Amino acid sequence: MVSYVSALLYGVGGLVVAGMALLVAFQERLVYVPVLPGLTKSYAINPSRLRLVYEDVWLRSSDGVRLHSWFIKLFPDCRGPTILFFQENAGNIAHRLEMVRIMIQRLQCNVFMLSYRGYGASDGYPSQHGITRDAQAALDHLSQRTDIDTSRIVVFGRSLGGAVGAVLTKNNPDKVAALILENTFTSILDMAGVLLPFLKWFIGGPGSKGPKVLNFLVRSPWSTIDVVGKIKQPILFLSGLQDEMVPPVHMQMLYAKAAAHNNRCLFVDFPSGMHMDTWLAGGDHYWRTIQQFIDQNVPENRENESSGDDKAFGTR
């Protein structure tokens, strides 16, 4: 019996040590994947390939990192909503262009696509602290532009991008009009147990079981569950029920946390939506849901529109 208990303790200890080694050595590679297997870091295509008129925008994050972005407009003088889009953890913004092309057409909007540090043509190496700075640089840039309606900036984040967007929205109640989250996780702490099941006993968010003795090793916790409850702006939750990467219950938990403090939250699920294709599987229902959410919560600025008409007709 003693030898059995000793072996069990050694086994558990071995798992803890192995978990620590994996976290220390590979966690950034699991969380951030700028280059997909078999592809290069560079953009395979640019927006002009899809006949989209765009602007290359180069930014400096507050710590000096040089960032690349694409600003794609519906048409030069479009005063519709501007979507600040934050992508998932893998690949670069070029891999999202087909979805963005449809987004622009269906929502009659502009889209600003940021390359996180270390992704695409941006310099640096990805980290939670750094990407949070990058997102702020993108929002600050948009807020200073004179060719858009800055009162209609909507943050849209999918998966990791949802975690990024939630932090940005919370930190900027006067600059972000609304937030859209799609297939986003509660936290990387909870996702560790999804990706490596034996770690769920040692790593986890506030609601998880176990001693969570390895939480301190996670350098990019992205605890969205702790952020959404502090957001005052309207939030739309889009959940693909066939999500094979992030368990759909994560989105349900995020919605419940947000809705307890914010009565402008809407949860919509899509039965056949997977992690990356909910926008495709959801079809017309997906786009109508977003359009109605924006129409209700980010309406046109009639004063600006009237002012523009007065100027156009020389009215005094």
Side-chain angles (χ1 to χ4, degrees):
M1 174 64 74
V2 174
S3 61
Y4 174 78
V5 172
S6 297
L8 181 62
L9 290 174
Y10 277 121
V12 172
L15 284 175
V16 173
V17 171
M20 292 179 66
L22 283 170
L23 280 174
V24 171
F26 299 111
Q27 63 175 279
E28 252 79 30
R29 296 185 186 181
L30 292 172
V31 177
Y32 309 112
V33 188
V35 183
L36 291 168
L39 301 178
T40 64
K41 185 173 180 286
S42 60
Y43 305 123
I45 59 174
N46 63 39
S48 63
R49 183 80 168 269
L50 300 181
R51 298 183 178 180
L52 297 171
V53 178
Y54 75 104
E55 173 188 346
D56 277 303
V57 178
W58 294 93
L59 306 171
R60 286 280 179 187
S61 194
S62 59
D63 57 352
V65 176
R66 188 169 182 256
L67 307 170
H68 176 253
S69 304
W70 285 329
F71 187 37
I72 308 171
K73 300 189 74 174
L74 178 64
F75 52 84
D77 297 322
C78 177
R79 308 296 289 186
T82 294
I83 308 293
L84 175 50
F85 177 78
F86 296 122
Q87 67 161 73
E88 307 87 334
N89 73 321
N92 59 51
I93 54 177
H95 301 127
R96 281 79 194 176
L97 278 175
E98 179 57 30
M99 187 275 291
V100 165
R101 180 183 68 82
I102 298 174
M103 175 184 283
I104 290 171
Q105 293 174 348
R106 292 297 302 260
L107 305 182
Q108 296 290 286
C109 65
N110 309 309
V111 177
F112 192 94
M113 305 179 73
L114 170 71
S115 276
Y116 308 135
R117 62 183 61 202
Y119 283 70
S122 295
D123 295 339
Y125 299 92
S127 68
Q128 178 171 337
H129 186 63
I131 290 176
T132 300
R133 288 173 178 259
D134 300 345
Q136 188 65 54
L139 178 60
D140 290 345
H141 169 80
L142 283 177
S143 299
Q144 294 166 9
R145 294 188 73 114
T146 59
D147 59 341
I148 65 170
D149 184 346
T150 56
S151 71
R152 305 188 73 195
I153 296 175
V154 178
V155 169
F156 187 122
R158 181 183 294 129
S159 192
L160 173 66
V164 177
V167 173
L168 184 70
T169 301
K170 176 186 75 71
N171 291 343
N172 295 271
D174 298 327
K175 292 182 178 179
V176 176
L179 171 66
I180 301 173
L181 298 180
E182 181 178 322
N183 296 339
T184 298
F185 45 77
T186 53
S187 72
I188 291 296
L189 298 172
D190 290 328
M191 283 301 296
V194 174
L195 298 173
L196 300 169
F198 70 89
L199 286 180
K200 67 182 179 182
W201 300 106
F202 310 106
I203 298 175
S208 62
K209 299 178 181 179
K212 298 179 281 191
V213 294
L214 299 184
N215 278 10
F216 75 97
L217 291 175
V218 180
R219 293 188 287 267
S220 292
W222 288 113
S223 190
T224 314
I225 193 73
D226 292 325
V227 174
V228 292
K230 301 174 183 177
I231 294 173
K232 306 303 182 185
Q233 300 96 312
I235 311 174
L236 172 61
F237 296 82
L238 304 172
S239 178
L241 297 185
Q242 302 303 316
D243 193 330
E244 74 286 8
M245 295 292 294
V246 177
V249 68
H250 282 227
M251 284 290 287
Q252 296 166 13
M253 293 171 66
L254 290 175
Y255 170 71
K257 184 65 176 288
H261 306 276
N262 184 346
N263 62 7
R264 296 188 293 172
C265 295
L266 175 65
F267 184 95
V268 181
D269 58 35
F270 300 89
S272 60
M274 299 179 72
H275 190 63
M276 296 289 289
D277 78 345
T278 299
W279 65 274
L280 197 58
D284 186 61
H285 177 45
Y286 176 92
W287 295 111
R288 282 191 291 106
T289 296
I290 298 175
Q291 183 67 70
Q292 291 170 3
F293 172 78
I294 292 176
D295 288 346
Q296 293 171 7
N297 295 286
V298 193
E300 294 181 23
N301 190 330
R302 294 296 183 182
E303 289 185 7
N304 285 355
E305 188 175 289
S306 298
S307 175
D309 290 345
D310 290 345
K311 292 178 181 178
F313 289 100
T315 304
R316 288 178 173 81

